[in-house]
DNA sequence: AAATATTAGAGCAAATTTGCCTTATTTTAA
DNA sequence: TTAAAATAAGGCAAATTTGCTCTAATATTT
């Protein structure tokens, strides 16, 4: 069985996170600080080049004052 | 900066996945087969002892015929 | 109760992620 | 246009995950 990496999925997730972050006028650095996640990792996540962990999703959601499941609503406007 | 592991979060996620799986009368093995994820990994995820990746979340959601975001609705009945 | 099915759990190597640092590139503001 | 801010991007070691295999424990069925 092969290691699983859903490129479409992680791209969509990154796009969605970036969307929410920009809606709140936060820089990647500010999000990084709030979520206690490495600055470069936020960049990798938003660019959709990394298959990140659920714990980082939880941390990002909290830092963005939202619920984890909302990061997976890829068709939302805001 | 320390590696991030949200124990409460991964426990809640595992519980939710198990809930949905049982609702559909699937065994871990069947879910494993459908999602193309190692059998033992499904067990680890449901027990909340592993900080799994978002790609595995996408695969599990698909195997359960549901949307990824629904796996994060921890207060749902069904 | 016995047999069967299901789940838990341990251990290991290989692959991947993550934090950390540094340097480009792009965007924004002065 | 220049300076400053923000983002992209590359490399690397350490930590973690993941697939794989095996055995133990628990639940379900006959």
């Amino acid at each position: 069985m092969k290691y699983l990496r859903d490129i479409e999925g992680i791209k969509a997730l990154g796009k969605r996170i970036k969307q929410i972050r920009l809606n709140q006028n936060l820089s990647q650095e500010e999000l990084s600080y709030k979520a206690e996640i490495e600055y470069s990792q936020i960049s990798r996540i938003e660019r959709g080049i990394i298959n990140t962990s659920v714990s980082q999703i939880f941390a990002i959601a909290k830092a963005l004052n939202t619920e984890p499941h909302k990061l997976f609503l890829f068709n939302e406007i805001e």
Side-chain angles (χ1 to χ4, degrees), chain A:
Chain A
M1 204 165 289
K2 209 173 158 288
Y3 179 82
L4 203 68
R5 176 194 267 115
D6 181 337
I7 295 177
E8 278 200 30
I10 63 182
K11 283 226 181 291
L13 180 65
K15 194 173 168 187
R16 174 68 172 142
I17 288 171
K18 181 171 189 172
Q19 179 188 43
I20 298 174
R21 174 178 66 80
L22 291 179
N23 255 21
Q24 304 187 16
N25 274 321
L26 290 173
S27 69
Q28 288 182 348
E29 198 168 22
E30 289 167 319
L31 174 55
S32 161
Y33 177 77
K34 279 187 156 192
E36 295 182 276
I37 292 173
E38 246 323 294
Y39 167 61
S40 62
Q41 178 72 351
I42 300 290
S43 172
R44 286 186 287 232
I45 292 170
E46 287 193 353
R47 281 180 287 146
I49 64 172
I50 200 91
N51 186 18
T52 189
S53 69
V54 290
S55 285
Q56 291 197 327
I57 293 302
F58 290 135
I60 289 171
K62 193 173 180 184
L64 292 174
N65 297 305
T66 188
E67 294 164 290
H69 82 96
K70 295 209 170 154
L71 302 188
F72 293 88
L73 299 177
F74 302 145
N75 297 318
E76 291 288 308
I77 305 289
E78 72 157 41

